[in-house]
């Protein structure tokens, strides 16, 4: 039986479930008479808390988790920050448990109501502090993950830094949680330790039993429960292949991205939030070719203001240390709905009020703050701006006009920015393909968004099973569109990248080489494989394949030619 969750950390793990359940923390709130004695009891607990924090952070640091160690050490500082409130509550007659409980709850609600995502995340830390302090006060033993047997698949509601401090990577085959998204602590931890993980698996706690065998496919976000012998054999082979391939790709770190005869390409990565830069650098991408800023706007009650966006863009620019980052302005609408924008219900949202259309309409509330934040951040690194869903050159002109107004504003305010910032467009609609020659005279770069371009070119929604057979990058219509766009860009000497999933399709890479794509932007996990495949082709061989493919008449013919292609 296969269950789906979020693919949070790649790889395959096979093992037995160990449920990690927090002991319930229950106490009876009492009124204390001897407040002095209660204050001393509290002070002892704080001492124990701080000692344990340092022990845990030392363990975490030893296994290379610098960031987690810092988060844990921050708990001591945060507890100190709440100390006065807690002690006041004890002086007013609360027992130490109730004083900690109330004070932490107060700070949790304050943090949760903050507009900035980063501040809201602090609420999870206060929850962790509260649990740890109550456990110390009540004498409850900690959950100890360090003792799990080799081949364990950890199942938890969510993993906290303190829970995982003693984790022994080699004993944990996989992680499954019921909560948490791609940027949660559980996800960050799993990726840092390279443990396959599937998060947000619904009702996992009810459904799975201790000691049950499961397969965790962290690459595809799948959990196979009660696997058959054939499942185990299949996934054992896949696991071995995954590990061998990963190891072999390590030799491409530090190499330039070039064909066998030495023709160079730019190989960059796609990200959704500033923390992803870590994976970009670990996988040796040469920068970021697509920062999907809509993720900064999702899962919250109101949009991030200019300041919060500025911090996010600046962080990416600084962390990339001069490597380029193409930031795509807000691409909402269609399949990306953001409730607080209250976008009208549409008959046909994919062809409606979305992306640049929405942003230009909401210029003062939505677009200007984003463009201002981007321009301000441009003083701190190599930021480029990309406009999504362009269908006519007027849209690009309108964006540039707003940018130029903001530049004048910033100049008057004496705020630094890069006046020569590059402004490019996504080519993801047939209209943009057809006017690529016009766009090339006004855009500083192109990036081909094959995910949408395939759908719009074929007029087929990939989510509609009746027509999904049409949604394929191997269709001659799609390949011709891409060839045309690249030719138009070359004509005007405009750099042309591809940031849709097709950029990392191994069988199509020779075509992109032959057409003259200049930049590949792929998921961080696909960077080294893409570099390897590019290195295996010569332009001459790629041209041969491309010629044959472009003479094919059907998708099946294209697939057949690519299947038999040899470099
Ligand atoms: C695309 O359409 O190819 C693309 C990269 O954008 P998104 O997947 O975010 O729509
Ligand atoms: Mg798109």
């Amino acid at each position: 039986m296969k269950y789906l969750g979020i693919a949070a950390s790649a790889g395959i793990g096979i093992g037995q479930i160990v449920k990690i359940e927090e002991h319930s923390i229950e106490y009876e709130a009492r009124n204390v008479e001897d407040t002095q004695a209660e204050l001393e009891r509290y002070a002892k607990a704080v001492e124990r808390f701080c000692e344990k924090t340092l022990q845990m952070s030392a363990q975490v640091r030893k296994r290379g988790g610098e960031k987690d160690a810092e988060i844990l050490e921050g708990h001591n500082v945060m507890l100190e920050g709440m100390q006065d409130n807690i002690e006041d509550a004890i002086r007013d007659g609360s027992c130490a448990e109730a004083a900690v409980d109330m004070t932490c709850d107060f700070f949790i609600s304050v943090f949760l109501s903050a507009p900035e995502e980063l501040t809201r995340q602090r609420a999870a830390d206060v929850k962790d502090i509260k649990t740890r302090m109550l456990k110390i006060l009540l004498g409850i033993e900690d959950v100890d993950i360090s003792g799990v047997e080799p081949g364990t698949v950890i199942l938890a509601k969510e993993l906290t830094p303190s829970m995982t401090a003693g984790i022994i990577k080699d004993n944990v085959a996989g992680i499954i949680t019921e909560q948490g998204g791609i940027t949660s602590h559980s996800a960050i931890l799993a990726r840092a330790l390279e443990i396959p993980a599937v998060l947000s698996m619904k009702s996992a706690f009810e459904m799975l039993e201790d000691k049950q065998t499961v397969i965790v496919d962290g690459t595809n976000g799948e959990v196979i429960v009660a696997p058959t012998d054939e499942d185990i054999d299949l996934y054992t082979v896949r696991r071995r292949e995954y590990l061998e391939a990963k190891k072999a790709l390590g030799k491409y770190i530090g190499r330039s991205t070039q064909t066998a005869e030495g023709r160079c390409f730019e190989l960059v990565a796609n990200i959704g939030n500033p923390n992803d830069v870590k994976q970009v650098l670990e996988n040796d991408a040469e920068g970021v070719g697509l920062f999907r800023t809509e993720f900064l706007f999702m899962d919250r009650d109101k949009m991030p203001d200019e300041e919060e966006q500025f911090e996010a863009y600046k962080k990416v620019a600084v962390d990339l240390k001069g490597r380029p980052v193409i930031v795509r302005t807000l691409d909402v609408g269609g399949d990306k709905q953001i409730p607080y924008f209250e976008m009208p219900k549409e008959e046909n949202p994919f062809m409606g009020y979305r992306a640049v259309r929405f942003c230009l309409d909401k210029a003062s509330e939505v677009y200007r703050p984003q463009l201002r934040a981007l321009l301000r951040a441009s003083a701190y690194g190599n930021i480029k701006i990309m406009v999504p869903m362009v269908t006519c050159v007027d849209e690009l002109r309108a964006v540039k006009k707003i940018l130029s107004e903001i530049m004048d504003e910033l100049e008057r305010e004496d705020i630094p920015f890069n006046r020569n910032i590059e402004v490019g467009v996504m080519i993801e609609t047939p209209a943009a393909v057809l006017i690529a020659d016009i766009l090339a005279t006004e855009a500083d770069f192109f990036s081909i968004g094959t995910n949408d371009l395939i759908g719009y070119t074929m007029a087929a929604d990939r989510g509609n099973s009746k027509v999904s057979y049409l949604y394929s990058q191997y269709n001659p219509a799609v390949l011709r569109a891409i060839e045309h766009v690249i030719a138009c860009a070359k004509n005007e000497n405009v750099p042309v990248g591809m940031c849709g999933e097709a950029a990392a399709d191994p069988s199509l890479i020779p075509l992109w080489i032959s057409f003259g794509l200049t930049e590949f932007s792929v998921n961080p996990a696909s960077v080294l494989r893409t570099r390897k495949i590019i290195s295996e082709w010569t332009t001459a061989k790629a041209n041969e394949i491309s010629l044959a493919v472009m003479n094919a008449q059907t998708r099946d013919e294209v697939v057949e030619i690519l299947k038999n292609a040899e470099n």
Side-chain angles (χ1 to χ4, degrees):
M1 197 79 96
K2 209 182 257 186
Y3 294 92
L4 293 182
I6 295 174
S9 176
I12 289 165
I14 304 174
Q16 277 75 43
I17 293 279
V18 170
K19 283 186 175 178
I20 305 294
E21 244 168 316
E22 286 281 7
H23 302 284
S24 69
I25 300 172
E26 280 169 16
Y27 66 91
E28 211 158 306
R30 326 167 259 123
N31 270 339
V32 287
E33 305 265 304
D34 188 351
T35 52
Q36 195 48 43
E38 196 65 2
L39 282 171
E40 278 165 26
R41 190 165 81 87
Y42 168 69
K44 278 217 180 79
V46 172
E47 211 176 293
R48 180 80 195 107
F49 179 97
C50 294
E51 266 171 33
K52 282 180 107 170
T53 303
L54 296 181
Q55 278 166 7
M56 287 193 291
S57 66
Q59 278 175 325
V60 172
R61 196 164 267 123
K62 214 158 65 195
R63 61 154 208 250
E66 186 55 38
K67 187 107 189 82
D68 276 341
E70 279 170 22
I71 293 177
L72 276 167
E73 281 156 7
H75 285 186
N76 285 359
V77 182
M78 288 171 90
L79 180 60
E80 204 184 320
M82 295 189 286
Q83 182 128 340
D84 285 350
N85 299 50
I86 296 172
E87 287 180 350
D88 282 349
I90 297 175
R91 278 190 205 99
D92 286 344
S94 290
C95 63
E97 287 85 352
V100 167
D101 205 353
M102 279 183 312
T103 308
C104 288
D105 280 352
F106 169 74
F107 280 96
I108 290 168
S109 64
V110 170
F111 284 139
L112 282 179
S113 61
E116 308 81 30
E117 172 66 20
L118 275 178
T119 312
R120 284 209 307 275
Q121 281 175 11
R122 295 286 73 77
D125 289 304
V126 184
K127 274 188 207 159
D128 204 12
I129 293 171
K130 172 170 122 169
T131 311
R132 290 181 52 208
M133 270 303 284
L134 288 177
K135 283 205 285 199
I136 293 173
L137 286 164
L138 295 164
I140 297 172
E141 288 290 312
D142 269 332
V143 173
D144 187 6
I145 289 189
S146 66
V148 299
E149 303 274 318
T152 293
V153 171
I154 288 177
L155 168 60
K157 295 266 182 206
E158 182 152 36
L159 297 174
T160 62
S162 56
M163 225 191 231
T164 53
I167 201 167
I168 295 175
K169 172 182 153 122
D170 292 341
N171 290 356
V172 182
I175 291 173
I176 304 172
T177 67
E178 260 191 23
Q179 291 158 16
I182 205 88
T183 58
S184 64
H185 174 76
S186 309
I188 294 168
L189 176 98
R191 286 196 293 267
L193 295 178
E194 301 185 334
I195 298 174
V198 174
L199 307 187
S200 278
M201 177 181 157
K202 286 209 187 77
S203 313
F205 242 78
E206 264 169 56
M207 219 149 47
L208 300 173
E209 298 295 332
D210 263 323
K211 300 206 170 70
Q212 198 172 7
T213 299
V214 291
I215 300 172
V216 180
D217 179 349
T219 308
N220 295 308
E222 293 172 354
V223 175
I224 292 100
V225 178
T228 59
D229 288 348
E230 288 91 77
D231 287 335
I232 302 244
D233 290 347
L234 176 70
Y235 279 89
T236 304
V237 172
R238 284 194 189 166
R239 181 168 181 275
R240 198 176 51 234
E241 285 170 357
Y242 171 81
L243 292 174
E244 280 169 8
K246 193 167 152 194
K247 196 157 157 229
L249 287 175
K251 71 173 199 236
Y252 289 90
I253 290 182
R255 293 200 185 169
S256 70
T257 305
Q258 53 182 44
T259 53
E261 86 275 18
R263 188 171 141 220
C264 286
F265 294 86
E266 218 182 322
L267 176 58
V268 286
N270 297 346
I271 63 170
N273 79 65
N275 296 328
D276 294 344
V277 170
K278 188 163 176 273
Q279 273 114 270
V280 171
L281 298 177
E282 275 168 8
N283 288 287
D284 198 35
E286 296 148 29
V288 167
L290 170 65
F291 176 5
R292 292 180 162 103
T293 58
E294 52 275 12
F295 288 102
L296 298 178
F297 289 68
M298 286 175 181
D299 298 327
R300 47 190 299 155
D301 309 325
K302 59 183 207 221
M303 72 169 245
D305 62 11
E306 178 188 319
E307 208 50 40
E308 188 183 343
Q309 290 189 60
F310 164 66
E311 289 297 340
Y313 305 144
K314 177 179 159 191
K315 180 169 167 37
V316 173
V318 169
D319 289 354
L320 282 170
K321 301 192 176 81
R323 294 178 185 85
V325 46
I326 297 180
V327 184
R328 178 174 75 185
T329 62
L330 188 60
D331 184 11
V332 284
D335 55 343
K336 300 168 192 158
Q337 287 299 329
I338 298 199
Y340 56 80
F341 280 142
E342 293 177 355
M343 296 167 89
K345 193 150 177 41
E346 294 175 286
E347 284 279 305
N348 211 336
F350 281 91
M351 296 203 182
Y353 188 51
R354 54 174 300 195
V356 69
R357 305 165 181 188
F358 168 79
C359 285
L360 286 173
D361 187 47
K362 298 262 180 227
S364 53
E365 312 98 282
V366 178
Y367 217 15
R368 277 180 173 271
Q370 178 168 47
L371 295 176
R372 230 183 102 98
L374 277 170
L375 282 173
R376 285 172 55 199
S378 71
Y380 297 87
N382 188 357
I383 291 187
K384 306 176 191 198
I385 294 176
M386 178 156 73
V387 188
M389 270 293 289
V390 167
T391 50
C392 44
V393 74
D394 317 60
E395 288 160 338
L396 175 60
R397 288 179 188 163
V399 176
K400 283 189 171 179
K401 182 162 175 282
I402 301 177
L403 278 169
S404 128
E405 287 162 9
I406 300 175
M407 285 181 182
D408 294 344
E409 213 172 86
L410 292 173
E411 219 153 57
R412 284 197 297 278
E413 294 168 31
D414 223 9
I415 297 177
F417 66 94
N418 172 16
R419 191 168 263 286
N420 298 319
I421 193 163
E422 289 182 27
V423 183
V425 292
M426 280 202 73
I427 305 285
E428 51 184 343
T429 63
V433 172
L434 293 169
I435 58 161
D437 57 332
I438 304 171
L439 289 169
T441 60
E442 300 199 21
D444 294 317
F445 61 88
F446 283 173
S447 188
I448 306 174
T450 49
N451 305 344
D452 275 314
L453 185 59
I454 298 166
Y456 287 124
T457 302
M458 299 304 298
D461 176 355
R462 93 161 102 179
N464 181 341
S465 57
K466 288 262 185 289
V467 295
S468 59
Y469 69 95
L470 289 168
Y471 185 97
S472 162
Q473 60 266 40
Y474 306 116
N475 278 307
V478 176
L479 296 175
R480 283 175 190 210
I482 295 171
E483 186 184 34
H484 174 73
V485 170
I486 297 175
C488 291
K490 273 214 286 207
N491 233 0
E492 294 291 337
N493 256 328
V494 169
V496 52
M498 183 183 288
C499 58
E501 294 298 316
D505 180 333
S507 66
L508 285 170
I509 287 176
L511 256 69
W512 311 151
I513 293 174
S514 167
F515 291 169
L517 195 76
T518 57
E519 177 227 57
F520 293 74
S521 192
V522 303
N523 285 324
S526 306
V527 167
L528 294 174
R529 189 190 61 186
T530 305
R531 184 172 288 154
K532 173 177 183 279
I533 295 171
I534 292 174
S535 77
E536 288 164 353
W537 286 92
T538 59
T539 304
K541 269 282 173 200
N543 286 345
E544 265 176 39
I545 301 300
S546 161
L547 191 67
V549 165
M550 296 314 280
N551 278 323
Q553 298 187 341
T554 65
R555 181 186 76 157
D556 290 349
E557 281 174 39
V558 170
V559 171
E560 195 55 28
I561 294 167
L562 292 175
K563 206 164 77 192
N564 298 318
E566 277 174 25
N567 44 38

